[in-house]
Structures are given as structure tokens and as C-alpha cells.
Amino acid sequence: MVLQMDSSAPPIKVENWLRGEPLTSFQPGKVYIVEFWATWCAPCVAAMPHLVELQEKYKDSGLELLGVAAYEQAPTADEARTSLDAWLTDKFSNLNFRIGFDSTGEMNKLWMDSSFSIGIPTSFVVDRDGHIAFIGRPMQLDDVLPKVLNGSWRTSDEAKAADTERTETGRREMEEMKRERALTEPILAAMKAEDWAKAVSAVEEALAVMPDELDFRGRHADLLLHKLRDMQTGLPVMRQFARDAIDKNNEVWMEEALRQLFNPAYDNSHVPSAERFAMGKELSEHILALDPPHRDGGPKWLSYGAVAQYYYESGNKDRAIELVEVALNSLSVPEPMPELKQYYAPPLVQALANYKGEKACYERVFVQLRKAGFRERQSAGNGANRKKKGDNRNCSLAIIHFSGAEWQPNLTV
């Protein structure tokens, strides 16, 4: 049964209500937002102050909002529930809507899976007659919610077209995700067993089905070059990977190809030096042409680390330092999500320290949203990272400004 606009809203099946009075069923005459979210999800956390505002703004129009925490991560359900409760107390002590906790997967199955909804945050709006009026992202609610409240949304051509497109797109994405997961499982199993030949075979089977899946292309090159050290097969694969990345003019592809050649964690002594540096030069030049250092914007935090490593190994240390500093500066603007900043900043700071021959340390400045009672707070790093009296070693210090609320990182890319 597909859950879409005009479907009857599924039942509410949560294990515990951590905030607000328990809700067992949707009451006629009221409009509900059912928000699927998690504490580790940066966009979810960033959306919460706005949800607080919507609840306050429309409470007299019959709006009730409930957040469903169905994706918390901990060894046990009890630990997840306890951690969630503490997080809510710390971050949103005066929350004005219900929070339900579910670790059974029941709510996910009834709502998310049946509507082909992939990823969180996802908002479901239940109309006054208990039917689904909208499924989408919370940032769309500003436009949709007033129309749901006045009863004009579900009958509109805009709503019908949006729901049809969402359902068709979600169905395709879910089928592709399932196919990719099925192809990935034997690869991961072989890699866990360190059976590299079997892993290569599994990757090649996956590429026969999904030849343009970047993860499979990167794993293929990595296994051949760095695990099996098979230059006869691996070099042609790497050449084609680099060529395809350049032909696509895709910075993410080019960064992944360059990383296979200049990841400082890899021992590339067995890779023919002239060819490695030739590919590195071409990839680096294309990345810098696509996203020049002097131009604002662009994911410099993503690709410039690999480009800098190429220049450092090429003997141009000053250029490497310049590019890492540009990448770190790009993390000081609001566009990248906080989890990307927390993921990319430490290796960039470490690379800068390595290039300068200094010791790496960090100072993070979290600029929290001031809405919903958030206050600005500074975290100055731990004592081990601060320069002590009498310690004459230099320290590469990066001050990274994080926009949005603090969160716990969960990168499953």
C-alpha cells in the first residue's frame, strides 16, 4: 500500500513519549505535522527552531506537531532513549511540541517506507479529516502549511503534481538504493575478510550493473592499486577513472580520482611516479579551473585537500599551504552543513601542520542559532592542544565557525 496524498494517515506507533502528552490517534478538526528526525542529522536539528516557530504561529489554527525520533543510534534502545532525553534537555529545554521515540522500526515502516521517503528530515502533514495532505521537507512547510490549514491545498493542481512527482522519484530512488545495497554487500564482506581478489570480482560485477556509480569506481581503483598492487590491471583502470572524471567535469569525481593517487595514508611507492604525477597534474588543474581559489563558493573543503597534497608531493610546498588555507577559509561560511565541517576540518588542519612542519591543534567556535533560546558558545579545544608555557613548538591553529546547532556526526555516505 503506497502512502501518498489523500491516503488515510497511518497509526501512531511509538514506544515512548519523551515530550508532551501521549497521542494515540489524530483528532478530527486538527492539522498535524509528523516530523521524522534524528539528533545526529544536521538538517533535522537546523529545522527544529523553525518547527518551534510554526507550532507557536499556528497553534490557534489547530496545528499540532509531533517529532518522531526513529533513527537514534546507540548499542541498545534504552541507551538511545536516555541519550535522546538528555539531548532534548540540553538543546531544547522548552520545546513546544511532542517528541516520540521508536526503535522498533514500526513507524519507519508505516510512514517512511510506504511513502518511498528516503532520508530525513521528512515532514508528513495530516489534514483535518485524518488524510495525508503533504509529504516533503520541512523547508517546504512555509508555503504548504497555510494552504493546508485553509483547506485549499489537497484540491489544487500544484499539490497533485507535486505528490505525483515525489512518489515517482521516491520509488525510483528506493529501487536504486536497494539495488546498490545488494551489490555493495558482497564487496564489503570480501573486504572484511581481506579477500581482495574476491572483492575486485564483486566490484566488477557491480560495475556491470551500475557503471557510473562513483563508490564502485573508487573502490575498484583502490583495490587494484593499493590492496592487490596490480599495476598491469590497476593503471588502465585508474587512467580511465581520471579521464571519465575530467570528461564529466565533475569536481566530486575528480577529487575521488585524485585521492586514489595522492592520499597521504597510501603507500604509492609502487605506482609509476611519472604517470601518477601526470594524472595528478591534470586532475588538479581541472579542479582549480572549475573552482578557482579566488572565487567565493564551491566545495573547496571537499577537493582542495587532495589538490594540495599533489602540489606538496610535487615540491611546491607554498602552493600546498595556500590551497589548504583557502579550503579552511571556505569552511568558515554557512553553506556547508555542520557534519561536513566536522568531517573535513581535522584532516585539513593536520595537512597544514604537516606542510609547515608544525604541531596541529584546533579551536572550534560553534555559532549556535539564537532562536529557541540558543546562546553563542565558544569551545577552545582541550588542554593537550593548547600551547603550554615553555613549549616553543609552533602550532597550526584553525578557527572554524560552525553555523547551526551542535550535533553528533553520523556520516554514512
Side-chain angles (χ1 to χ4, degrees):
M1 181 73 179
V2 177
L3 184 65
Q4 56 191 2
M5 192 176 73
D6 289 329
S7 299
S8 296
I12 303 165
K13 299 280 188 180
V14 300
E15 294 173 82
N16 306 98
W17 291 99
L18 299 184
R19 296 294 184 273
E21 294 296 320
L23 182 69
T24 57
S25 62
F26 298 110
Q27 301 302 308
K30 292 188 175 182
V31 171
Y32 295 87
I33 298 174
V34 182
E35 179 78 8
F36 283 76
W37 72 289
T39 56
W40 49 258
C41 165
C44 302
V45 174
M48 287 186 75
H50 185 52
L51 295 174
V52 168
E53 290 179 348
L54 290 177
Q55 177 63 80
E56 181 63 27
K57 182 177 180 179
Y58 293 112
K59 64 180 180 181
D60 294 335
S61 300
L63 177 68
E64 293 198 16
L65 200 149
L66 52 139
V68 178
Y71 302 94
E72 293 306 301
Q73 299 178 342
T76 68
D78 285 343
E79 289 176 85
R81 183 173 53 250
T82 300
S83 176
L84 171 61
D85 187 42
W87 188 93
L88 289 166
T89 299
D90 181 37
K91 306 298 181 185
F92 291 93
S93 58
N94 297 316
L95 197 64
N96 63 354
F97 57 84
R98 293 178 175 90
I99 295 291
F101 170 77
D102 179 55
S103 66
T104 67
E106 187 72 9
M107 284 292 285
N108 188 61
K109 180 180 179 182
L110 289 169
W111 292 76
M112 295 287 288
D113 289 351
S114 63
S115 63
F116 303 115
S117 295
I118 299 173
I120 52 176
T122 295
S123 303
F124 295 80
V125 180
V126 180
D127 217 335
R128 298 185 193 275
D129 61 1
H131 288 78
I132 298 293
F134 170 79
I135 304 171
R137 301 302 183 196
M139 63 282 294
Q140 299 171 277
L141 292 173
D142 278 338
D143 179 57
V144 170
L145 190 57
K147 299 171 186 176
V148 174
L149 289 165
N150 68 27
S152 65
W153 175 252
R154 273 167 55 195
T155 58
S156 69
D157 291 339
E158 179 188 5
K160 294 171 184 175
D163 193 62
T164 297
E165 181 182 0
R166 184 203 63 80
T167 303
E168 291 175 354
T169 301
R171 192 192 302 270
R172 286 195 305 270
E173 289 179 349
M174 190 164 284
E175 289 173 355
E176 184 174 336
M177 186 177 70
K178 289 178 179 178
R179 182 168 66 249
E180 184 178 346
R181 184 181 297 142
L183 292 168
T184 300
E185 285 174 357
I187 300 171
L188 296 180
M191 291 181 68
K192 185 177 180 180
E194 297 188 1
D195 188 338
W196 308 126
K198 187 174 181 179
V200 168
S201 178
V203 168
E204 290 173 348
E205 289 178 12
L207 284 169
V209 179
M210 302 178 73
D212 271 343
E213 175 53 48
L214 178 58
D215 180 66
F216 296 151
R217 294 292 296 273
R219 287 184 191 275
H220 196 206
D222 176 50
L223 286 164
L224 290 169
L225 288 180
H226 306 117
K227 300 299 189 295
L228 289 176
R229 297 194 167 205
D230 179 354
M231 294 300 99
Q232 184 176 356
T233 307
L235 275 179
V237 165
M238 188 64 235
R239 288 188 206 110
Q240 190 61 54
F241 186 16
R243 177 49 46 199
D244 290 347
I246 291 168
D247 289 346
K248 288 176 182 291
N249 202 32
N250 185 307
E251 189 167 350
V252 176
W253 274 65
M254 288 189 282
E255 186 276 338
E256 175 63 21
L258 190 59
R259 192 174 61 84
Q260 294 299 331
L261 296 164
F262 289 92
N263 187 334
Y266 293 159
D267 174 11
N268 284 301
S269 59
H270 59 290
V271 182
S273 179
E275 186 158 9
R276 183 166 79 97
F277 279 92
M279 284 189 280
K281 181 176 187 292
E282 190 174 10
L283 287 163
S284 296
E285 288 176 349
H286 274 83
I287 289 172
L288 294 178
L290 189 64
D291 186 12
H294 61 270
R295 190 176 69 195
D296 292 337
K300 296 176 175 63
W301 37 266
L302 168 68
S303 58
Y304 272 34
V307 177
Q309 185 66 21
Y310 158 74
Y311 278 104
Y312 180 71
E313 291 192 35
S314 299
N316 193 340
K317 184 172 70 172
D318 290 343
R319 182 63 164 160
I321 290 170
E322 175 195 348
L323 292 172
V324 172
E325 289 175 341
V326 169
L328 285 167
N329 285 334
S330 75
L331 283 169
S332 295
V333 296
E335 284 78 7
M337 292 187 297
E339 75 273 23
L340 296 180
K341 295 182 178 186
Q342 290 190 346
Y343 183 73
Y344 284 101
L348 287 170
V349 173
Q350 185 63 59
L352 182 61
N354 292 343
Y355 300 161
K356 290 184 173 182
E358 298 174 352
K359 167 185 163 187
C361 60
Y362 308 90
E363 181 171 335
R364 295 178 179 180
V365 179
F366 292 91
V367 181
Q368 297 185 328
L369 296 175
R370 291 181 174 85
K371 297 177 181 178
F374 279 170
R375 293 179 297 174
E376 189 169 319
R377 180 173 68 82
Q378 177 167 313
S379 173
N382 61 48
N385 284 336
R386 297 177 192 153
K387 192 171 180 180
K388 299 177 182 178
K389 186 176 181 180
D391 184 354
N392 58 8
R393 288 174 296 176
N394 290 326
C395 173
S396 290
L397 177 67
I399 299 179
I400 310 300
H401 293 271
F402 284 26
S403 292
E406 259 187 285
W407 70 296
Q408 297 299 315
N410 174 63
L411 294 175
T412 53
V413 212

